[in-house]
């Protein structure tokens, strides 16, 4: 039999996977896999187990939110493993799964994880770390990791909105120098995101048009510091209407960029705290992740 490593975060989402665990394992076994289950115990556990024993398996499947998936992919990248990866989303938002059309229904996602087809997806490197679909700084980026897990489990996606409203009066800008494709941009920005996804935070219209997750390019959005409430309203309208003509909104595609800031700016990678480096190099790692997605007839 083929060997499958199943990495499970039991605290993700509302913990519903516990009720379907036997059926999920049964799906794996029916499709010819001998299953080894690993339940994560602490941060970075998923990454560490992949790096320690991942090479022993024919397939790896992880279940959790965007953070669990980030850890699993980071383990594959750092260990330089090309093992196919299945994903059963069980978080509150699951942007990456949504972009790949992996369903929220866990049993169906489990079936896809062992019977779907390979899709070679781009991944981002952020200095020495990795992200699957978004690296962001500024307004509201603290919301994913500042929102208590218990609140996420009880309320789901609305928990993020509640935490965001609490932070709206504390928006601060950061001076930055951004270099990409021979272009240099300087200014004070309240928000920035480097994405490879059709949605961020569950919102589909803020990442730009014509998003392809295997084209070697990021979609980048930078929001300049608004000088008045009218400027802020202009920014919100531009994001919702996908209008890049606003002077306060800078959008572009690139495979690589450098960011310098003279002050400490916290970053978020796939919803988890990413540190506050002053010098940042972001590169698109072209089609390095072999992730299993639905076949057309599934």
């Amino acid at each position: 039999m083929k060997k499958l490593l199943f990495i499970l975060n039991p605290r993700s989402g509302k913990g519903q996977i516990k009720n379907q665990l036997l059926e999920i394992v049964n799906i794996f076994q029916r499709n010819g896999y001998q299953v080894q289950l690993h339940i994560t115990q602490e941060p970075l556990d998923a990454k560490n187990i992949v790096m320690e024993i991942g090479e022993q398996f024919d397939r790896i499947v992880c279940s959790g939110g965007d953070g669990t998936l980030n850890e699993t992919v980071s383990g594959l990248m750092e260990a330089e493993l090309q093992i196919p990866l299945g994903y059963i989303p069980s978080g509150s938002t699951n942007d990456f799964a949504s972009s790949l059309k992996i369903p929220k229904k866990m049993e169906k996602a489990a079936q896809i994880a062992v019977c779907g087809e390979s899709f070679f997806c781009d991944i981002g490197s952020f200095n020495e770390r990795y992200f699957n679909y978004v690296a962001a700084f500024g307004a509201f980026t603290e919301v994913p990791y500042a929102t208590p897990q218990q609140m996420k489990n009880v309320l789901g996606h609305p928990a993020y909105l509640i935490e965001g409203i609490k932070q709206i009066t504390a928006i601060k800008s950061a001076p930055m120098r951004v270099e990409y494709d021979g272009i240099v941009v300087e200014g004070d920005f309240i928000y920035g995101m480097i994405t490879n996804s059709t949605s961020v935070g569950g919102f589909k219209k803020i990442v730009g048009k014509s998003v392809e997750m295997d084209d070697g390019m990021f979609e980048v959005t930078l929001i300049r510091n608004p000088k008045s409430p009218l400027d802020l309203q202009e920014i919100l309208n531009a994001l919702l209407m996908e209008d890049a003509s606003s002077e306060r909104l800078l959008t572009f595609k690139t495979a690589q960029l450098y960011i310098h800031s003279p002050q400490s700016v916290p970053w978020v990678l796939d919803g988890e705290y990413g540190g506050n480096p002053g010098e940042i190099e972001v590169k698109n790692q072209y089609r390095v992740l072999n992730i299993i997605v639905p076949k057309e007839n599934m």
Side-chain angles (χ1 to χ4, degrees):
M1 296 181 71
K2 296 172 289 185
K3 296 177 66 177
L4 183 149
L5 175 61
F6 184 27
I7 300 171
L8 168 64
N9 180 354
R11 296 168 296 280
S12 181
K14 299 180 180 180
Q16 295 178 348
I17 194 170
K18 299 174 186 176
N19 301 324
Q20 302 177 58
L21 181 57
L22 289 179
E23 179 55 29
I24 289 171
V25 172
N26 190 35
I27 289 170
F28 295 159
Q29 291 182 337
R30 284 203 308 264
N31 284 278
Y33 285 95
Q34 178 183 348
V35 181
Q36 179 169 326
L37 175 64
H38 180 84
I39 299 176
T40 61
Q41 305 294 322
E42 58 189 358
L44 299 181
D45 199 6
K47 174 185 173 182
N48 292 335
I49 195 67
V50 170
M51 295 186 69
E52 289 172 9
I53 64 172
E55 64 181 358
Q56 303 173 21
F57 296 87
D58 301 288
R59 182 154 303 192
I60 295 174
V61 178
C62 74
S63 180
D66 292 328
T68 303
L69 180 63
N70 176 282
E71 288 190 18
T72 304
V73 172
S74 294
L76 289 169
M77 293 292 292
E78 293 193 23
E80 298 182 351
L81 299 176
Q82 289 289 326
I83 299 170
L85 174 65
Y87 181 41
I88 302 174
S90 61
S92 302
T93 304
N94 304 309
D95 286 304
F96 194 70
S98 175
S99 298
L100 294 172
K101 296 182 173 56
I102 298 173
K104 294 181 180 179
K105 188 174 180 181
M106 293 180 184
E107 291 181 12
K108 188 170 184 179
Q111 186 72 26
I112 290 167
V114 288
C115 296
E117 61 185 9
S118 290
F119 175 74
F120 290 88
C121 182
D122 301 341
I123 293 297
S125 63
F126 180 92
N127 290 346
E128 301 301 319
R129 296 184 60 177
Y130 295 95
F131 64 95
N132 297 326
Y133 76 98
V134 62
F137 71 87
F140 308 126
T141 52
E142 294 182 4
V143 169
Y145 61 84
T147 306
Q149 184 65 50
Q150 185 176 6
M151 183 185 291
K152 294 179 188 178
N153 291 345
V154 173
L155 299 178
H157 185 63
Y160 294 108
L161 301 180
I162 293 171
E163 189 67 28
I165 291 170
K166 289 164 58 178
Q167 295 187 15
I168 197 167
T169 59
I171 295 176
K172 297 179 181 179
S173 64
M176 288 188 168
R177 175 186 173 93
V178 181
E179 301 178 29
Y180 67 99
D181 302 337
I183 299 171
V184 178
V185 177
E186 294 185 286
D188 290 339
F189 299 98
I190 62 167
Y191 180 78
M193 63 181 180
I194 304 158
T195 63
N196 187 41
S197 174
T198 61
S199 68
V200 171
F203 298 99
K204 295 183 178 295
K205 289 190 175 183
I206 65 174
V207 295
K209 301 177 181 179
S210 304
V211 175
E212 300 289 342
M213 299 176 68
D214 61 346
D215 62 356
M217 303 291 283
F218 294 122
E219 286 70 39
V220 182
T221 301
L222 299 171
I223 301 177
R224 297 184 186 275
N225 189 27
K227 303 298 183 182
S228 69
L230 287 177
D231 285 345
L232 183 57
Q233 186 62 50
E234 178 185 334
I235 290 168
L236 294 174
N237 290 339
L239 289 172
L240 292 173
M241 301 302 294
E242 299 181 57
D243 178 11
S245 64
S246 170
E247 293 183 357
R248 312 228 64 81
L249 199 65
L250 176 63
T251 62
F252 57 89
K253 289 177 178 279
T254 188
Q256 185 173 351
L257 68 159
Y258 302 88
I259 300 175
H260 167 76
S261 178
Q263 69 182 49
S264 176
V265 180
W267 282 77
V268 170
L269 306 179
D270 295 340
E272 302 294 327
Y273 180 58
N276 52 358
E279 300 286 342
I280 298 163
E281 180 180 14
V282 179
K283 290 183 179 180
N284 186 290
Q285 307 294 323
Y286 182 58
R287 297 186 180 181
V288 295
L289 177 64
N290 181 0
I291 191 162
I292 306 302
V293 299
K295 296 178 181 178
E296 289 188 8
N297 60 350
M298 291 188 76

